[in-house]
Amino acid sequence: MGSLGGTISMTASDAAGGVVPTLDATQLTRSVPGLSEVAEIRTASLRQLPSASLGYDDLMAALDWAEQQIAAGASGVVLTQGTDTLEETAFLLDLFWKLPAPLVITGAMRAPQTAGADGPANLLAAVRTACHPESAGRGVLVVMNDTVHYARWVSKGDALAVQAFVSNDGGVAARLVEGRPTYFHGGPARAQPLPRPVRAWPKVALVTAVLGDDGELAELAVNAGYEAVVIAAQGAGHVSFGFAQRIGTLTPRVPVVIASRAAAGSTASQTYGYVGAEIDLARRGAHLGGWLSALKSRLLVTALLASGTVAGALGEALENWSKLTRR
Ligand code: ASP
C-alpha cells in the first residue's frame, strides 16, 4: 500500500486552521481493524500532499513503485490519495498500467478524527478488492464507499458527501457485500497501455464554453504556448457562433478536442447542423471526444502527446483509443 496524502491521511493543525496531510502509510494501515488478517501488506509513504498538488511526476513515480511491487510478488497494489483529483489520477495511471494485477486507488471523504470517518473502511475494501482474483485484468480501479469503479468512468459527483463517487454511463464495476467484491460484468475493453513519456509533459488547456462566450480564452491559451485545447462544450458538443469561428482559426495551429461539459453523456456526431454544433465543429477540424469527460479527454491528449504521438496524428490516435475501448 502506497500513500500519497489526501483527507484519508489528514489531522488537525492549529497553525493551518484545518486538517492537513500528516499520517504515513504505516499509520494508515495500523488504523484499520482486521487488515492484517486480509493480506500481508508492505507499505510505502510515497508523498504527503493534498491531491490538487499531485503532479505528473509524482504519479509516474507511484506507477513505477506499483510495478515494482508486482514484480516483487505482490498480487495487487493499493494507493491512497485525496479524492479531489481521484478521477483524473486513476484515469492517467490506467492509460499506462500494463499489468493484469489490479491497481486500486482509494481515499476518504471524512478525515480520520471525524465521527464516521470512512478512510479505514475504504482502505479495507480497497485491499480486499486488490486481493480478489476477479479484479485482475480490469486496469486501475477506484474503491470508495464499498463500490468499485473503473478509472474510465468514475467521477466525483459530490464535493463532500460520503457517497461522492459515481460512474455515469458505464456503470459501477462491483459492490462489496460482506467484504467481497461482486463484479456485475466481465472486464472492460481496454486500449493497449501507452508507452511511458518520451518527452516533457505538454501543456494542454481545458476551456469551458459558457454563455456569452466567443472562445477568446482558448485562443489566449494557444498564444501562450498550449499545445492542444480541449473544450468542455455545451450539451452534446456545442459552442456559440463566435466560438465556432475561433475554433476554425485554431485547428490549423493545434489539435482541438470537443468534449461535453455535462456530467454524463456523449458528444453527438451527426445530429445538429447549425453553426457551432458538432457537425460544424468537426468540419472546422475539431475532434469529437465521444463519451470521455472533458477532464479525462485533456489527460488522454496530454498522455498521447507525452508518449510520442505527434499533433498531426492525434485525431487518429483518439479515434483508435475510442474504438478499442468501444466508446
Ligand atoms: N482536498 C482533499 C484532497 O483531495 C480531499 C480529499 O482527500 O478527499 O486532498
Side-chain angles (χ1 to χ4, degrees):
M1 190 284 267
S3 63
L4 294 164
T7 297
I8 192 167
S9 72
M10 292 194 193
T11 57
S13 152
D14 286 342
V19 294
V20 295
T22 48
L23 302 178
D24 65 19
T26 310
Q27 288 168 309
L28 285 182
T29 49
R30 277 205 198 118
S31 71
V32 184
L35 190 62
S36 56
E37 288 142 42
V38 175
E40 190 190 317
I41 297 180
R42 187 177 312 153
T43 58
S45 299
L46 303 172
R47 297 288 184 276
Q48 213 166 59
L49 292 169
S51 72
S53 291
L54 287 169
Y56 297 125
D57 293 340
D58 299 318
L59 294 167
M60 289 299 115
L63 189 68
D64 286 339
W65 178 82
E67 286 180 0
Q68 285 157 15
Q69 302 318 300
I70 303 297
S75 46
V77 175
V78 172
L79 293 174
T80 58
Q81 68 153 88
T83 60
D84 288 352
T85 60
L86 191 43
E87 67 199 273
E88 292 176 272
T89 59
F91 181 71
L92 186 72
L93 292 173
D94 191 48
L95 291 175
F96 293 101
W97 185 246
K98 55 181 193 234
L99 303 172
L103 173 56
V104 179
I105 314 184
T106 192
M109 296 304 295
R110 295 178 180 151
Q113 285 148 1
T114 316
D118 54 333
N122 286 342
L123 188 47
L124 184 60
V127 170
R128 284 183 159 142
T129 301
C131 294
H132 196 276
E134 279 185 56
S135 300
R138 296 176 191 266
V140 175
L141 300 169
V142 170
V143 174
M144 291 289 293
N145 203 29
D146 276 340
T147 306
V148 185
H149 302 264
Y150 291 119
R152 168 75 180 78
W153 295 111
V154 70
S155 65
K156 190 172 191 179
D158 191 295
L160 287 169
V162 172
Q163 69 284 15
F165 284 85
V166 292
S167 283
N168 292 321
D169 300 319
V172 302
R175 303 239 338 248
L176 280 105
V177 176
E178 297 174 333
R180 288 169 56 87
T182 302
Y183 282 95
F184 299 121
H185 308 285
R190 301 188 71 229
Q192 279 288 103
L194 294 180
R196 290 299 189 95
V198 294
R199 47 153 291 186
W201 292 90
K203 292 200 297 181
V204 176
L206 172 54
V207 178
T208 302
V210 292
L211 196 68
D213 189 358
D214 67 359
E216 190 183 7
L217 273 180
E219 185 169 340
L220 289 174
V222 176
N223 292 345
Y226 281 75
E227 293 182 41
V229 181
V230 174
I231 312 289
Q234 285 129 332
H238 307 147
V239 297
S240 68
F241 299 157
F243 206 139
Q245 250 179 354
R246 185 95 61 172
I247 285 172
T249 67
L250 295 180
T251 52
R253 299 173 65 192
V254 297
V256 176
V257 176
I258 308 295
S260 175
R261 69 177 197 179
S266 171
T267 52
S269 61
Q270 49 186 12
T271 300
Y272 291 98
Y274 58 82
V275 170
E278 74 280 0
I279 295 170
D280 175 51
L281 298 182
R283 277 199 197 118
R284 292 177 196 263
H287 309 293
L288 300 172
W291 290 92
L292 204 56
S293 73
L295 286 178
K296 293 183 190 193
S297 294
R298 189 192 72 90
L299 286 168
L300 180 58
V301 170
T302 304
L304 284 168
L305 292 174
S307 48
T309 304
V310 292
L314 191 74
E316 200 187 330
L318 290 171
E319 249 171 61
N320 282 342
W321 190 88
S322 300
K323 265 188 222 143
L324 289 167
T325 58
R326 289 201 212 106
R327 288 171 194 97

